[in-house]
Amino acid sequence: MKYILFLSFAFLLSSPSRGQQNFNDSIAHARYKLTENAMITLGGWAAANIVSGFIIAGTVQGEAKYAWRMNGYWNFINLGLAGMGYLNARKAALRKYSFTDNYEAQHAIEKLYVLNFGLDLTYIASGLYLRARGKTETNSKSSDQLRGYGTSIIIQGGFLLLMDGVMIMLHQHNTSRMNKKLRQFDLNAGPGGLGVSYRF
């Protein structure tokens, strides 16, 4: 009997029942809308950097030329990632999520942004390293390249760090809503077996 109650509890959390459905839909909707908006922001940043990067690079010299040129090159990758991320978010919007699906998806996306946050710090550190190398380079052109590329990578890494940090906080709000919902379920063990209660 207790196994049946336990399985019923697991099913209650996993299955998209009518009362649960609205909550699950709202969590999933919030998640993919955050992703859509993030990808639109990243795509806009990428497009602006590509256009301005190559235009301005043609009008300046020295370190600035390489910095603007790197901004353009770097953001072709950002633009591709933004496009793929946006399409994946649109595809995810068509899915129906159970509580368990949402819980797993929330933790997965938070881990992804935490990983990205760490990579952003690595980009910034790499940019600082390139700038330091450029200052010790005796060849003028190589010095300009290293310092220019370093400046660009610091700027791009800084933008991504800010964006990923904001996304972590926004997604954590979504996760806290799920944790609050989960705490409303009590699993009680007694002489008669296992029981589940829900606090409204």
Side-chain angles (χ1 to χ4, degrees):
M1 181 66 180
K2 63 182 179 180
Y3 296 112
I4 295 172
L5 286 172
F6 180 75
L7 291 173
S8 298
F9 173 68
F11 179 75
L12 180 65
L13 287 179
S14 300
S15 63
S17 62
R18 187 168 181 80
Q20 187 93 350
Q21 181 75 27
N22 292 336
F23 177 78
N24 286 328
D25 286 349
S26 71
I27 290 290
H29 179 78
R31 184 173 54 253
Y32 69 71
K33 285 307 288 183
L34 282 174
T35 302
E36 277 185 13
N37 291 337
M39 294 304 101
I40 289 169
T41 301
L42 182 61
W45 169 264
N49 274 271
I50 290 168
V51 173
S52 64
F54 290 115
I55 291 174
I56 296 174
T59 65
V60 293
Q61 295 298 320
E63 178 185 335
K65 175 181 180 178
Y66 294 106
W68 283 103
R69 186 180 289 173
M70 176 58 85
N71 282 348
Y73 290 139
W74 182 283
N75 279 282
F76 278 115
I77 297 170
N78 281 344
L79 191 61
L81 292 173
M84 287 189 296
Y86 184 83
L87 290 175
N88 286 337
R90 298 293 292 176
K91 194 183 296 181
L94 303 175
R95 271 193 64 186
K96 287 293 181 184
Y97 287 85
S98 68
F99 188 94
T100 306
D101 293 334
N102 268 321
Y103 203 78
E104 290 174 355
Q106 277 301 127
H107 282 285
I109 200 162
E110 280 188 35
K111 284 180 183 176
L112 177 64
Y113 277 110
V114 168
L115 175 64
N116 285 344
F117 194 86
L119 286 174
D120 302 336
L121 291 172
T122 305
Y123 297 148
I124 293 169
S126 300
L128 291 169
Y129 171 75
L130 288 176
R131 283 197 58 78
R133 277 281 311 275
K135 288 176 182 177
T136 62
E137 180 63 52
T138 55
N139 181 284
S140 178
K141 181 179 179 182
S142 296
S143 176
D144 286 344
Q145 281 181 328
L146 289 168
R147 287 184 295 146
Y149 292 161
T151 298
S152 174
I153 293 170
I154 291 168
I155 292 169
Q156 298 303 322
F159 170 79
L160 293 173
L161 185 75
L162 177 64
M163 190 182 89
D164 289 333
V166 169
M167 292 303 292
I168 289 169
M169 288 188 292
L170 292 173
H171 279 294
Q172 282 178 343
H173 172 72
N174 221 15
T175 301
S176 69
R177 288 177 59 205
M178 297 196 74
N179 289 334
K180 184 178 178 183
K181 190 79 169 177
L182 191 59
R183 284 193 297 270
Q184 291 177 309
F185 288 94
D186 281 333
L187 190 61
N188 305 309
L194 203 60
V196 178
S197 61
Y198 180 75
R199 296 193 303 276
F200 293 92

